[in-house]
Every structure is written in C-alpha cells, then in structure tokens.
Amino acid sequence: MDDIILRTISRLIIPFIEIYGVFIILHGHVSPGGGFSGGAILGTSLILYTLVFGVEKAQKKFSHKVSDIAESGGILWFILIGLVGIFVTGYFLTNINAGFPIGEPGLLLSAGMIPLLMIGIGIKVASTMITLFHTVIEEAHHGSA
Amino acid sequence: MIVLNVFLVGFLIVCAIAVERTKDLLSAVIIFSAYSLIMSVLWLLLKSPDVALTEAAIGAGVTAILFIAVIARTERMES
C-alpha cells in the first residue's frame, strides 16, 4: 500500500500512539490501565506501521530475533523481581517487606515494585501482538506468491 | 442516563444477533468491532475504566485486524 497521504499521516500519528502507550504503562499503579492495556496500544502502533509501510520494512525495524529477546526478557524480568521476594522473605512477589521503596502514595514513584513489573508486562504484550500479526501476514504472503 | 443505557444495550443485542445471522465474514468482523466499541462505552458507564481501555484496544483493534488477516488467507463468504 503505497499512498502519500497514508504514509504522511502515519508518520505523524505513530509517535503519539506510542507515547500514549508508554504513558499508560508507566502510570499503571496510579491511574486506569497498566501493562496489558499499554502494551496492546504499543503493539497496535507497530501493526499500523506494518499495514502502511509493508511487512519487509517492519521486519527490518522489529525482526523475529528482537521479538524473541523482548518476549523472553519481559517474562524473565517478571520472574527475577518475584525471586527477590523469595530470597528476602520466602514468598514470591513480596512487595514492601522485601525492601522495595514504597515512595509517596499517589505519586509516580510509589507502590514499590509494581512499576517495574508493569514495564516487563508491557514489553511482552507489545511484542506478542506484533509477532502474532507478522506471523499471519507472512504466511499469507508466501501462500499467494 | 437510563435512556442511554437502554439504547446501548439494545444496540449490543442487535449487533450480537447480526454477527450470528450474516453470511459475509468480513461484515461479521466489522459488526463485531462495533459491538466491542459499544461494550467499551458500557464498561465506562459501569465505572470500570480499566476494562474499558483494554476492551477498546483489544476488542475493537487487535482482534478485528487478526480476524481480517485470517479472512484474507481463507474465504470471505460462509458456505
């Protein structure tokens, strides 16, 4: 799909979608949203890029190798944070008792480890969305050719 | 507010029946996307903005795109 209007508008709008997704991920513990919703919005922006610029250019930006690292890294980061709780207090995902700083309730830097977990979930969900779409589109590409 | 709620739920029921009745799968996906959007407004009216955000992103966005990608690989009309 090679249309100048589509390309220009997408170039303008994709950064705003991605900033909105990152905002929702980082504010997951003080406002509605969180890792899953923000990650889905981030993945939607990458799907829009794939639809407008084609699957080859999108594969250069976000290849299967990068998505492998992002997905495994996201879940490993989650487990690592949980293991801190096991080693300090004996329970998985212990928050304040394991020594995470509580901060001031209601502000961005608060709630101990929840923002760190949200970042991991957001990366994993975003890369899962884009990998699902790339897999389906690639097979359609090979099937028609 | 009650009138708006009744209107939205009625639209939801009509959408659900239309998804089941239509033979054109592309139309069904688009009607299902509209269903998700109305459902997201209803979640917001039920004071659950968290679920509304997820429904708008997943139900109206990603699900419709994945269904359309699958329809592009298979047949459009239900036999």
Side-chain angles (χ1 to χ4, degrees), chain B residues 50-64:
Chain B
D50 203 352
V51 186
L53 201 59
T54 311
E55 177 87 34
I58 299 287
V62 179
T63 313

Side-chain angles (χ1 to χ4, degrees), chain A residues 51-68:
Chain A
L51 281 175
V52 173
F53 292 95
V55 74
E56 285 87 10
K57 276 185 92 172
Q59 286 281 4
K60 269 182 205 156
K61 293 244 178 205
F62 204 83
S63 62
H64 279 304
K65 211 171 172 184
V66 178
S67 77
D68 278 352

Side-chain angles (χ1 to χ4, degrees), chain A residues 2-137:
Chain A
D2 207 23
D3 187 26
I4 184 147
I5 297 172
L6 270 178
R7 270 187 281 134
T8 312
I9 297 291
S10 320
R11 248 184 222 136
L12 279 175
I13 211 171
I14 284 176
F16 288 101
I17 300 176
E18 291 187 342
I19 284 184
Y20 183 55
V22 171
F23 170 84
I24 286 181
I25 291 176
L26 290 182
H27 285 71
H29 52 293
V30 289
S31 68
F36 189 75
S37 321
I41 292 169
L42 265 182
T44 313
S45 78
L46 293 167
I47 287 177
L48 176 63
Y49 185 88
T50 310
L51 281 175
V52 173
F53 292 95
V55 74
E56 285 87 10
K57 276 185 92 172
Q59 286 281 4
K60 269 182 205 156
K61 293 244 178 205
F62 204 83
S63 62
H64 279 304
K65 211 171 172 184
V66 178
S67 77
D68 278 352
I69 294 171
E71 281 191 42
S72 313
I75 196 65
L76 283 175
W77 174 248
F78 192 98
I79 293 172
L80 194 79
I81 302 263
L83 284 182
V84 172
I86 281 202
F87 284 126
V88 177
T89 63
Y91 294 100
F92 193 64
L93 283 177
T94 314
N95 195 353
I96 303 297
N97 290 335
F100 289 102
I102 188 166
E104 196 171 330
L107 292 186
L108 186 58
L109 290 173
S110 64
M113 66 179 177
I114 305 291
L116 300 174
L117 292 182
M118 285 297 160
I119 291 170
I121 297 172
I123 291 171
K124 179 156 176 60
V125 172
S127 92
T128 304
M129 294 290 161
I130 192 65
T131 309
L132 269 176
F133 186 64
H134 275 182
T135 310
V136 175
I137 284 294

Side-chain angles (χ1 to χ4, degrees), chain B residues 63-79:
Chain B
T63 313
I65 288 174
L66 285 177
F67 275 150
I68 289 172
V70 171
I71 287 174
R73 290 207 63 198
T74 55
E75 287 181 1
R76 179 173 168 182
M77 304 302 287
E78 191 181 9
S79 57

